[in-house]
Amino acid sequence: MHEKEFFYTDNIREAGIRAALGQELRDLPLQVLPVVDSTNIRLRKMAEDGAPDGMALIAGAQTAGKGRLGRTFYSPAGTGVYISLLLRQTGWDPELTGRITTMAAVAASEAVESVSGKKAGIKWVNDIYVEGKKVCGILAEGSGHREDGGLSYVILGAGFNVFSPEAGFPEELLQKAGAIFDTYEEQARENLAAGFLNRFLHYYRAKGHKKYVGKYQTRCFVTGKDIVVITPTEKRRAHVLAVDENCHLKVRYEDGREEMLSSGEISIRPVAEA
């Protein structure tokens, strides 16, 4: 079989993922499918039907992948791995969803480095970049069905661009999206999925959710850079001063005003515009 033919028919195997999970996760509830509409959408339905805490749904392709801010997430067959994880707790902290995404960003960047040997950095809040291109997006969605108005559960989604699509990325993604590997690597998607689950669940289950913060601060590459802060109503130029212990972004606007950003979207200004 030719390499290209194998490249696009290689399936993600549950057995391959389980073999790479840490011993404490060998009994993790796990389902692997070749294609779904969206792992987050599918897992939400499973959650409503009683799926347990820690349930992981992994797919090799999505037909309606979900991105941040209502965007779609490009998820072609044979090139990526798409993971959703169900997290149930009692007494959710209102800010826990935000901590989950930054925790996941550290886990994702570490998993990428472990399988590829390439340096992976975090663009605030939770996009993973390799060699200047985005290779992973993360989305956490809460469900507030409890009588007290609190969250019943959170679904954490992470989509990785492991290989480049055969025909390349769509034109609208060419300048931004990249792949972790330049050529096909056998079992890379399985090892990456397991590596992410191993690392994220280690941080998530540790006492205190902030043991990962120093790693996040080190990996976040926007500190010291000029950026544009994007809101639904405006775009404002700013300079990044620091990432604090809550993984919030401290910025100074052109008028001298400083602000701590806990969520949102930014873009890094080109040198010519800085």
Side-chain angles (χ1 to χ4, degrees), residues 1-235:
M1 185 176 289
H2 297 298
E3 181 175 287
K4 181 179 287 188
E5 183 182 359
F6 182 65
F7 180 99
Y8 287 101
T9 58
D10 178 32
N11 291 321
I12 300 173
R13 301 169 303 122
E14 179 179 335
I17 294 172
R18 287 198 181 278
L21 289 174
Q23 187 62 42
E24 68 278 10
L25 297 183
R26 290 298 168 86
D27 295 326
L28 186 75
L30 173 64
Q31 184 176 5
V32 179
L33 298 172
V35 60
V36 296
D37 48 358
S38 157
T39 56
N40 268 30
I41 291 173
R42 183 71 63 94
L43 188 56
R44 181 181 292 276
K45 294 177 182 176
M46 294 168 66
E48 295 299 329
D49 289 337
D53 176 56
M55 179 74 204
L57 177 63
I58 298 175
Q62 299 180 114
T63 59
K66 298 181 69 175
R68 294 180 64 243
L69 304 177
R71 302 187 183 104
T72 58
F73 193 91
Y74 185 60
S75 316
T79 66
V81 60
Y82 312 101
I83 306 165
S84 289
L85 188 64
L86 175 60
L87 305 171
R88 296 186 186 273
Q89 277 196 1
T90 56
W92 282 96
D93 183 315
E95 293 189 6
L96 184 55
T97 301
R99 293 205 296 271
I100 285 173
T101 58
T102 51
M103 200 181 300
V106 172
S109 59
E110 290 180 335
V112 167
E113 287 187 3
S114 72
V115 299
S116 70
K118 296 180 179 180
K119 177 66 176 177
I122 301 169
K123 175 179 172 286
W124 190 87
V125 181
N126 51 25
D127 289 336
I128 309 304
Y129 276 64
V130 169
E131 297 174 347
K133 294 293 184 71
K134 180 179 174 179
V135 300
C136 173
I138 294 166
L139 175 67
E141 299 180 295
S143 176
H145 290 171
R146 290 215 322 261
E147 291 184 1
D148 62 3
L151 292 175
S152 295
Y153 57 81
V154 169
I155 293 175
L156 171 68
F160 295 86
N161 301 332
V162 184
F163 310 117
S164 294
E166 185 176 20
F169 287 100
E171 184 175 353
E172 65 271 19
L173 298 178
L174 279 177
Q175 299 303 312
K176 183 177 183 180
I180 297 167
F181 290 96
D182 301 318
T183 58
Y184 172 76
E185 295 284 340
E186 191 173 358
Q187 296 183 328
R189 295 191 294 165
E190 295 169 352
N191 291 334
L192 181 60
F196 172 73
L197 292 172
N198 283 332
R199 289 166 174 81
F200 174 77
L201 288 170
H202 168 75
Y203 294 130
Y204 178 74
R205 293 174 175 179
K207 291 183 178 179
H209 290 289
K210 297 185 179 180
K211 293 189 176 184
Y212 69 96
V213 170
K215 296 179 179 181
Y216 184 94
Q217 292 170 318
T218 299
R219 289 181 177 276
C220 188
F221 58 77
V222 302
T223 303
K225 287 188 166 51
D226 294 307
I227 64 169
V228 176
V229 178
I230 302 169
T231 71
T233 58
E234 64 177 349
K235 297 181 179 180

